[in-house]
Amino acid sequence: MGSRTASVRCVPAAPCWVSLMARDLDAAQAFYGQLLGWEFEPGPDRFGPYVHAVVEGEAVAGLGVSGSGWVMPVAWTGYFGTESADTAADAVRERGGTLAVGPLSFDAGRVAFAADPAGAVFGLWEGPPGPARRLALPGSPVWIELRTPDPFAAALFYGEVFRWDDRDPAHFEVRYEHERVVLRVEGRSVAALRAEKATGPVGTPPHWEVSFSVADADAAAKLAERLGGGLLGPVFDTPYGRVARLTDPEGGRFAVISPPA
């Protein structure tokens, strides 16, 4: 996850990276590059072709193609930083989750793919620690939200895996607000766990949904459709901004969010 010119920062216990596994990397770059204003740089290719999406010289996301032997759906995965991928992986298993891949070593640390007890997939990343990403960057991932039947059980699971209660409350806080369990890092809300509403897409399993910053969610939704993506229901307002839930041309789910009025 480190690139040749753009740094990637591991923030322990917090979401600090997102990555898309696509079938057609060129098509994914064309779609997201136009939609979110991304440029691209080569990334580590140990597990298959992989590029970094870059905004103003900062890496904000990764796009890759599954390597041989990896069978993964087209989906965005959010990674949580950890001081030890091996310790966190053990905690996942001990608390009823599933370790799918890893931990594996590569040029920027150790990574693993896991699923929580309800089946939501997430990543673990042990890497060089650094400050949180500049959330004001357009096109950067500013919010990830777990949609799951029991957000309180999920909060206990993730809290134990990443030791949320042991963190310095001056920099790291878990609170309940707006019908969500919300994770705040350095005074900013960065992630939430919430109950999936009955109005959501039928048959959608528990999952982490990644939201990217845009100036205008309505305009971004229209552009996504023109580029071959799809809109998962009307654009709507939340306490954290105006949100459009979308799919890319290969079916990968994500969202865009613009600042509240």
Side-chain angles (χ1 to χ4, degrees):
M1 292 171 196
S3 78
R4 297 172 186 175
T5 60
S7 63
V8 181
R9 303 159 180 176
C10 178
V11 183
C16 55
W17 187 247
V18 296
S19 187
L20 174 74
M21 300 308 292
R23 298 189 189 95
D24 186 329
L25 185 55
D26 290 337
Q29 290 181 78
F31 174 79
Y32 287 101
Q34 292 180 74
L35 180 66
L36 298 175
W38 288 346
E39 298 179 345
F40 298 95
E41 294 181 351
D45 58 3
R46 177 177 176 183
F47 307 125
Y50 194 83
V51 298
H52 286 158
V54 178
V55 176
E56 296 181 13
E58 183 161 341
V60 297
L63 292 81
V65 178
S66 297
S68 59
W70 288 27
V71 180
M72 300 178 69
V74 175
W76 282 98
T77 299
Y79 291 75
F80 286 79
T82 177
E83 291 88 349
S84 169
D86 294 276
T87 299
D90 289 341
V92 167
R93 287 187 291 251
E94 291 167 0
R95 290 157 178 78
T98 303
L99 194 66
V101 178
L104 302 172
S105 297
F106 72 119
D107 62 338
R110 287 175 64 73
V111 295
F113 293 100
D116 67 24
V121 175
F122 63 102
L124 304 169
W125 176 34
E126 172 193 345
R133 181 182 296 110
R134 288 185 293 140
L135 297 179
L137 283 176
S140 66
V142 292
W143 181 255
I144 68 169
E145 188 166 273
L146 177 66
R147 294 173 171 263
T148 187
D150 190 338
F152 298 103
L156 287 174
F157 169 80
Y158 288 98
E160 290 175 349
V161 169
F162 297 110
R163 299 186 294 107
W164 285 347
D165 287 343
D166 297 336
R167 306 289 169 174
D168 183 351
H171 303 285
F172 198 95
E173 181 185 9
V174 180
R175 62 167 66 174
Y176 185 75
E177 63 182 25
H178 306 303
E179 300 182 346
R180 298 165 170 86
V181 178
V182 175
L183 177 65
R184 292 173 58 83
V185 178
E186 304 297 339
R188 294 178 180 269
S189 298
V190 297
L193 302 85
R194 64 168 297 173
E196 177 68 84
K197 293 183 178 180
T199 54
V202 176
T204 302
H207 64 284
W208 284 96
E209 182 174 86
V210 178
S211 294
F212 296 96
S213 173
V214 295
D216 185 329
D218 294 88
K222 293 177 182 177
L223 176 57
E225 290 187 295
R226 290 199 297 271
L227 294 171
L231 181 61
L232 297 172
V235 184
F236 59 97
D237 292 309
T238 77
Y240 307 99
R242 189 157 173 81
V243 174
R245 300 182 70 196
L246 306 169
T247 60
D248 64 27
E250 292 189 326
R253 294 174 180 268
F254 67 104
V256 293
I257 183 169
S258 53

